[in-house]
Amino acid sequence: MSINALNLLYAVSTLFLSITPISAVFISINCGATGTLTENSIQWVDDHAYIKTGQPQEAYAPPSEVLGTLRAFPTGKKNCYTVNVDGGSKILVRASFYYGDYDSLSSPPTFDLLLDGNHWATVNTSATEAVYGLSYEAIYTVQSNVTSVCVAQTLPNQLPFINSLEVRSLLSSMYSHVDSSRVLLLATRAAATANNTPIRNPDDVYDRIWNPALGSLSLHFGLNVSSNDAASVAVKVEDNPPEAIFHNAVTTTIPTAGPLRASIMLDSSSLCLTEAPIYMTAYFSEIARLGSNQKRSFQMYVNNHPVSSPIIPPYGSAAEFYLANTTASSNTNFTLKPTADSTLFPLMNAYEIYTISDPLAGGTNTKDGTWRDYQRYKADSVYCSSGPGTCVYHQHTLGNGSVAAPTPALV
Ligand SMILES: *[C@@H]1O[C@H](CO)[C@@H](O)[C@H](O)[C@H]1NC(C)=O
Ligand SMILES: *[C@@H]1O[C@H](CO)[C@@H](O)[C@H](O)[C@H]1NC(C)=O
Ligand SMILES: *[C@@H]1O[C@H](CO)[C@@H](O)[C@H](O)[C@H]1NC(C)=O
Ligand SMILES: *[C@@H]1O[C@H](CO)[C@@H](O)[C@H](O)[C@H]1NC(C)=O
Ligand SMILES: *[C@@H]1O[C@H](CO)[C@@H](O)[C@H](O)[C@H]1NC(C)=O
Ligand SMILES: *[C@@H]1O[C@H](CO)[C@@H](O)[C@H](O)[C@H]1NC(C)=O
């Protein structure tokens, strides 16, 4: 290589460094473990660099090796993991919990999960879904150069614990239609999959977990999964979904007489019983080269009100729809309905529904707070005002993904 080429390379890399100060993180912490392990093609590290308190423990019959160890906190009202992240960058944080009777007391506890000092969720490990592990996921812009995830004791003798914590950098341009003081709390992320396996890293470089949209059933209420004829799908939409979600689509199978009436209804049961602001995305790609007399056109409806213009999935590339200005609950119907001029039923490749949090309060308080401190944080922002047990941000992503996946239904 000539000197000039080297100089150019140097100049280019300097420029690159100076315009991208954000250093990407992809950190997977296996709480309570010793050493590293590889699972789901991800390198997991133990938690010694991230926390000084708590006791390592082992869970019985874990659904995965990572969930087989945990860190329990017999002392302190609040115990925190802190991770260095560039201030102003956007990250995805996932915290997972699997009790596995680690203390041989057969008494799964309930405790609180906090994000940068704000109430995130109440983790009830005796909930039915907790049998497979509970996972909570948040997407947000970090305010300082560190982010903290804490568990806090709220009930006598119910000790908090945590099995894993994951932090992944996203692009700032992703999920951007919400102001930067608010957090997106995942309710549902589902994709049409040919087999019953979730799509995640390495297919999704951001390691979002896309659950099988039809669960263990290939045919469910008139819905089917059809493979895409296109050899590849060019993905140039703002939230950068993995190309893998376009290899298959959820399609409808029951033709109706007369005007097309078949629709795809998205599952919203992971939302709270009470209305809250939501952020929804949906992704589409046509699965076959359509004839000149064919047209697939449909609209997204929220409770019978159209919220999109006609969506015509492109063949060989991707389209995205998002909705960030609506409130919804677990009773809200999200439905894809054909337009009057469509000759084909709707299809859908994937969708996500998040709840939008209240603005984050205060900075990062990584200290083990007093009880009174903690009560204050809790009062500052309650993300979900419905009663206990009515708002479960559970994701069955921790085993092989075969359980209780969202189930779009034909209406
Ligand atoms: C998940 O599937 C893999 C491959 O089929 C299998 O080896 C593994 O035991 C399964 N894990 C669980 C928790 O079912
Ligand atoms: C946790 O969930 C179980 C089962 O749904 C319920 O009986 C219990 O009351 C819940 N605990 C708390 C503290 O909400
Ligand atoms: C993050 O750290 C950098 C370098 O130390 C500093 O310039 C910047 O102000 C910090 N950002 C925040 C939000 O604290
Ligand atoms: C469902 O999809 C599969 C795979 O694309 C296809 O072979 C089958 O014919 C479809 N079933 C119906 C009822 O359309
Ligand atoms: C949602 O759809 C169900 C089933 O079609 C229907 O019974 C219900 O009334 C709908 N809810 C709203 C709010 O439109
Ligand atoms: C919500 O966004 C849609 C699409 O961008 C727009 O048509 C609609 O007017 C907005 N509604 C409100 C209440 O802002």
Side-chain angles (χ1 to χ4, degrees):
M1 196 184 290
S2 75
I3 299 279
N4 277 347
L6 273 175
N7 280 345
L8 182 62
L9 192 64
Y10 176 76
V12 167
S13 60
T14 307
L15 181 66
F16 180 73
L17 287 176
S18 65
I19 58 171
T20 55
I22 305 279
S23 40
V25 294
F26 193 107
I27 296 169
S28 311
I29 304 172
N30 186 8
C31 308
T34 303
T36 60
L37 76 85
T38 302
E39 190 176 275
N40 290 323
S41 315
I42 292 164
Q43 174 91 7
W44 295 79
V45 297
D46 67 35
D47 57 357
H48 294 109
Y50 299 96
I51 195 156
K52 301 282 170 257
T53 55
Q55 295 175 346
Q57 299 282 359
E58 285 182 23
Y60 176 73
S64 72
E65 199 174 347
V66 166
L67 293 180
T69 59
L70 57 98
R71 184 171 290 272
F73 301 98
T75 59
K77 280 293 176 209
K78 185 164 72 114
N79 285 277
C80 299
Y81 282 77
T82 56
V83 177
N84 293 329
V85 189
D86 283 355
S89 64
K90 190 166 284 183
I91 57 172
L92 177 159
V93 174
R94 189 159 49 228
S96 301
F97 305 89
Y98 175 75
Y99 171 62
D101 201 20
Y102 77 85
D103 52 5
S104 305
L105 295 174
S106 301
S107 177
T110 294
F111 50 88
D112 274 3
L113 178 62
L114 284 76
L115 183 64
D116 286 355
N118 292 254
H119 182 255
W120 175 358
T122 298
V123 180
N124 181 344
T125 62
S126 67
T128 322
E129 310 80 29
V131 171
Y132 309 99
L134 294 172
S135 184
Y136 298 81
E137 192 184 301
I139 289 177
Y140 66 111
T141 301
V142 275
Q143 313 289 330
S144 68
N145 280 329
V146 66
T147 198
S148 77
V149 172
C150 311
V151 287
Q153 187 174 353
T154 53
L155 296 165
N157 303 320
Q158 308 221 6
L159 301 183
F161 66 84
I162 183 168
N163 300 65
S164 71
L165 180 64
E166 299 160 80
V167 182
R168 283 86 173 84
S169 290
L170 305 180
L171 302 179
S172 302
S173 54
M174 293 164 67
Y175 306 103
S176 60
H177 306 281
V178 62
D179 80 71
S180 62
S181 66
R182 293 175 193 270
V183 181
L184 300 184
L185 302 162
L186 182 66
T188 299
R189 182 185 295 119
T193 54
N195 49 34
N196 206 21
T197 311
I199 294 167
R200 63 177 299 184
N201 176 77
D203 288 323
D204 188 333
V205 295
Y206 306 102
D207 196 27
R208 288 163 291 189
I209 299 173
W210 305 78
N211 284 310
L214 296 190
S216 54
L217 304 170
S218 60
L219 259 177
H220 186 87
F221 295 115
L223 297 183
N224 194 17
V225 170
S226 303
S227 61
N228 193 335
D229 291 351
S232 68
V233 174
V235 181
K236 296 195 179 93
V237 293
E238 62 183 38
D239 293 317
N240 294 348
E243 188 191 352
I245 66 167
F246 298 105
H247 294 166
N248 296 281
V250 173
T251 51
T252 56
T253 57
I254 300 175
T256 50
L260 287 176
R261 292 177 59 194
S263 306
I264 296 175
M265 186 189 274
L266 312 192
D267 181 78
S268 58
S269 62
S270 298
L271 289 171
C272 303
L273 275 179
T274 50
E275 296 260 328
I278 59 127
Y279 196 110
M280 164 197 266
T281 66
Y283 306 92
F284 309 95
S285 184
E286 182 54 68
I287 54 171
R289 213 177 272 286
L290 301 185
S292 56
N293 57 345
Q294 289 180 302
K295 181 171 190 181
R296 194 190 307 272
S297 168
F298 49 88
Q299 284 174 283
M300 179 76 77
Y301 285 72
V302 174
N303 288 345
N304 292 324
H305 302 293
V307 293
S308 78
S309 40
I311 297 166
I312 300 172
Y315 181 69
S317 64
E320 174 174 353
F321 164 76
Y322 77 89
L323 190 63
N325 62 2
T326 301
T327 61
S329 72
S330 51
N331 293 319
T332 304
N333 290 336
F334 298 97
T335 315
L336 295 170
K337 295 185 189 178
T339 56
D341 59 345
S342 186
T343 65
L344 297 166
F345 294 145
L347 62 69
M348 183 194 60
N349 295 85
Y351 71 103
E352 304 168 274
I353 304 177
Y354 300 86
T355 304
I356 302 174
S357 82
D358 294 339
L360 283 176
T364 303
N365 181 349
T366 58
K367 293 207 189 70
D368 184 11
T370 63
W371 176 249
R372 190 155 29 141
D373 276 342
Y374 173 60
Q375 287 301 318
R376 182 170 59 79
Y377 291 130
K378 193 173 177 182
D380 276 345
S381 69
V382 176
Y383 291 151
C384 182
S385 54
S386 37
T390 56
C391 185
V392 187
Y393 298 107
H394 62 265
Q395 292 293 304
H396 301 281
T397 55
L398 304 173
N400 274 354
S402 58
V403 187
T407 50
L410 188 74
V411 291

